[in-house]
Amino acid sequence: MLQCLFSLVPIREAVLRFGDGSTWNEGCELGRRDSGRMLAEEEVRRALKFVALLRALFESLVNRRAEAWSATLAKESGGYPLAMGSPMFPVVTPDRELADMLLTAPSDGQPTQARAGLQQQDVDECMAQCVSLLGHALPPSADNSSWIEQLLAGHLEIATTGGASQGEPPRRETFVNLSLNLPMDSQSADINECLDRFFEPTEIASDSRIRSSRVVDAPPVLCIQVQRVQFDMEKMMAFKINSHLRVRSQISLTRFTGSGTGDLGVEGLKRRLASVDRRLDTLALPSDGSDVLEALGRVQAFMEGVEKWAHLDAAHELLADLPGADVRGTAETVSTLVGSLASTLSDARGRWAQEREETAEEIDRVYDDVVVDSMAYTLHAVFIHSGMTPEFGHYWIYIRDYHKEHGVRWLKFNDSNVAVVDKDEIFRVGPGGFANPYYLVYARTVDLD
């Protein structure tokens, strides 16, 4: 997460300016508020300590990169020595106190240690803690404004209609990330489908009111939390959804602004896709879900075997005692009918599969055709969590790296190992086990430079 913060230019430059007496509240002047509450001096000093430690880390990253630079290393590394993972240049490790501060949740001004044994902290909680500490370290102002909030926070308009809420004005909510749910009934989902589901009107079960939301303004850096951890009310325990999430290089929030742009024509394509999927699902036996065509193939093979058996002398003697039983003819007829049915269904499956593929490709083209405006975003970082359960696992991160000479490439930061990876590792279409996107960072496309 700290590597991700370092890669965001506004945060990196601000942190490196710590000590200039204007960007941060080095004089520990009181007056800044958090949710209407006046920050205590201890909280301000703690936040300043965090920024000071973060600056030391960022300076080490900058200096180590400069020390590593040479023409030979630049060529071998593709331009970035830190992407080599070379033992010649030891990894820059965060200060233990800095790491602990991100895993510490203050309560009533008294820090409470959150790191207990092997307890794993959610990346969203760490990010929220980091944003909070950065905000607490800023100088007080009349409107309590914060550049960190302007960088990461957007606003939604929430409207509730029907029932007792009729006539109530919409309310505005601030968000620092969008929390997207994954479908429980699918092994794979698209980031755009999750966004569509987040913004679609929902019924409040208690009184049949309808809740809807729209984007009022979106931040330069858009963070998205993938809600993989859910709670099973029957078992009274948390569980992790390991279904695949397909991330996109480009996304847009324009269709969620309520500006009259509407959806992208995707809803009709989704209905067509769902219709095709229902037809394909009919080719599964209701008893055990096995494939109908495979079952028909077994029946045809069985009847062909019966037909061959009817030619045996022993079968002739047995069938002589069963007048009117044309086993061979019946078997031949059934085998022909089953073969004809299997051929018809096979042709239908081929047509439906082709229609599904073409529809899915059309949806892809619509999603990929992102108009570059203030609501268009480019993927900057992907946090991965590998593990079957929310209690245990391992995090790593992919960060988009751009260089004028070498273009765009993706770096994988996995503890002390840093490597250049193929983009297909990030944008894979199908499931990939228990290692899946957990937290996404998008940068506004027009601000990439």
Side-chain angles (χ1 to χ4, degrees):
M1 191 199 72
L2 295 176
Q3 183 69 54
C4 180
L5 293 180
F6 178 80
S7 70
L8 296 172
V9 175
I11 294 179
R12 180 173 73 241
E13 291 183 346
V15 169
L16 291 174
R17 287 198 302 269
F18 182 78
D20 66 1
S22 60
T23 306
W24 304 95
N25 186 18
E26 290 91 336
C28 199
E29 180 182 352
L30 299 182
R32 187 153 197 89
R33 295 178 176 274
D34 185 350
S35 301
R37 177 184 62 86
M38 186 77 72
L39 294 175
E41 181 179 349
E42 180 184 357
E43 293 176 282
V44 176
R45 292 193 180 281
R46 182 171 179 273
L48 292 170
K49 177 68 172 178
F50 172 77
V51 179
L53 292 171
L54 195 59
R55 183 191 65 176
L57 174 66
F58 284 5
E59 287 178 341
S60 295
L61 286 168
V62 172
N63 294 335
R64 186 60 50 84
R65 182 163 169 170
E67 292 169 3
W69 192 264
S70 74
T72 302
L73 289 176
K75 182 177 180 180
E76 292 176 356
S77 67
Y80 282 75
L82 287 184
M84 293 179 63
S86 170
M88 295 173 59
F89 307 102
V91 175
V92 176
T93 304
D95 185 277
R96 176 61 182 266
E97 184 179 2
L98 174 63
D100 281 342
M101 291 179 82
L102 287 177
L103 303 178
T104 301
S107 177
D108 298 326
Q110 297 298 320
T112 301
Q113 191 70 343
R115 180 187 298 196
L118 296 177
Q119 180 179 354
Q120 177 170 288
Q121 302 306 308
D122 191 285
V123 63
D124 181 57
E125 295 171 342
C126 290
M127 182 66 82
Q129 176 74 338
C130 182
V131 172
S132 176
L133 288 167
L134 291 174
H136 290 180
L138 294 173
S141 61
D143 60 356
N144 210 53
S145 61
S146 160
W147 64 263
I148 188 70
E149 182 176 327
Q150 293 171 3
L151 181 70
L152 299 174
H155 297 91
L156 300 177
E157 183 181 87
I158 312 297
T160 306
T161 57
S165 64
Q166 198 68 30
E168 289 183 5
R171 70 180 189 278
R172 177 174 291 203
E173 288 187 0
T174 301
F175 70 89
V176 292
N177 65 53
L178 297 178
S179 297
L180 304 185
N181 289 318
L182 292 167
M184 302 288 289
D185 57 351
S186 175
Q187 292 299 309
S188 184
D190 189 290
I191 181 67
N192 282 293
E193 295 172 354
C194 295
L195 283 168
D196 290 340
R197 192 175 295 111
F198 178 89
F199 284 101
E200 69 182 6
T202 56
E203 183 177 354
I204 302 175
S206 59
D207 54 10
S208 299
R209 291 181 297 164
I210 303 297
R211 179 186 183 275
S212 60
S213 61
R214 72 177 188 90
V215 178
V216 177
D217 56 72
V221 177
L222 175 67
C223 296
I224 295 177
Q225 181 189 13
V226 183
Q227 292 279 47
R228 292 195 175 276
V229 179
Q230 302 291 336
F231 193 80
D232 189 324
M233 295 301 294
E234 293 185 1
K235 298 180 180 180
M236 296 303 291
M237 62 182 295
F239 66 96
K240 180 191 173 189
I241 301 174
N242 276 302
S243 55
H244 171 63
L245 176 67
R246 182 181 180 185
V247 298
R248 299 275 180 169
S249 175
Q250 308 280 332
I251 63 170
S252 174
L253 300 183
T254 299
R255 65 187 184 277
F256 308 121
T257 61
S259 60
T261 54
D263 74 271
L264 304 172
V266 173
E267 291 308 313
L269 293 172
K270 287 182 180 178
R271 287 192 292 271
R272 186 200 303 173
L273 194 65
S275 174
V276 174
D277 284 339
R278 285 193 295 271
R279 279 177 274 164
L280 288 170
D281 288 342
T282 61
L283 297 179
L285 293 175
S287 57
D288 58 4
S290 59
D291 186 76
V292 170
L293 288 173
E294 291 180 1
L296 289 174
R298 291 193 295 271
V299 172
Q300 186 176 18
F302 173 77
M303 298 310 297
E304 290 174 351
V306 171
E307 185 181 354
K308 292 178 180 179
W309 169 79
H311 282 84
L312 299 177
D313 292 339
H316 280 296
E317 295 176 5
L318 175 65
L319 296 175
D321 297 331
L322 300 173
D326 185 9
V327 174
R328 187 172 62 186
T330 300
E332 183 179 358
T333 300
V334 171
S335 177
T336 301
L337 289 173
V338 169
S340 177
L341 176 60
S343 177
T344 299
L345 291 179
S346 178
D347 290 342
R349 169 180 280 176
R351 292 195 306 272
W352 296 341
Q354 182 178 356
E355 184 180 356
R356 190 191 194 288
E357 182 180 354
E358 291 173 352
T359 305
E361 289 177 352
E362 193 170 349
I363 291 175
D364 275 351
R365 285 194 295 271
V366 173
Y367 279 146
D368 289 338
D369 186 20
V370 175
V371 176
V372 178
D373 57 17
S374 62
M375 291 290 173
Y377 289 86
T378 297
L379 187 64
H380 176 71
V382 182
F383 289 82
I384 300 292
H385 178 265
S386 177
M388 294 181 61
T389 70
E391 289 83 11
F392 301 98
H394 179 64
Y395 281 112
W396 68 83
I397 186 174
Y398 298 102
I399 297 179
R400 179 182 184 273
D401 187 39
Y402 176 77
H403 190 270
K404 291 181 180 179
E405 295 181 7
H406 307 289
V408 174
R409 66 180 187 169
W410 284 89
L411 302 181
K412 180 180 181 180
F413 295 86
N414 187 359
D415 289 341
S416 60
N417 298 315
V418 183
V420 179
V421 298
D422 191 281
K423 65 179 181 179
D424 291 342
E425 190 169 323
I426 296 95
F427 299 107
R428 58 186 169 84
V429 177
F434 300 111
N436 291 297
Y438 199 90
Y439 197 87
L440 310 174
V441 179
Y442 279 87
R444 193 154 55 196
T445 303
V446 295
D447 296 332
L448 281 180
D449 289 344

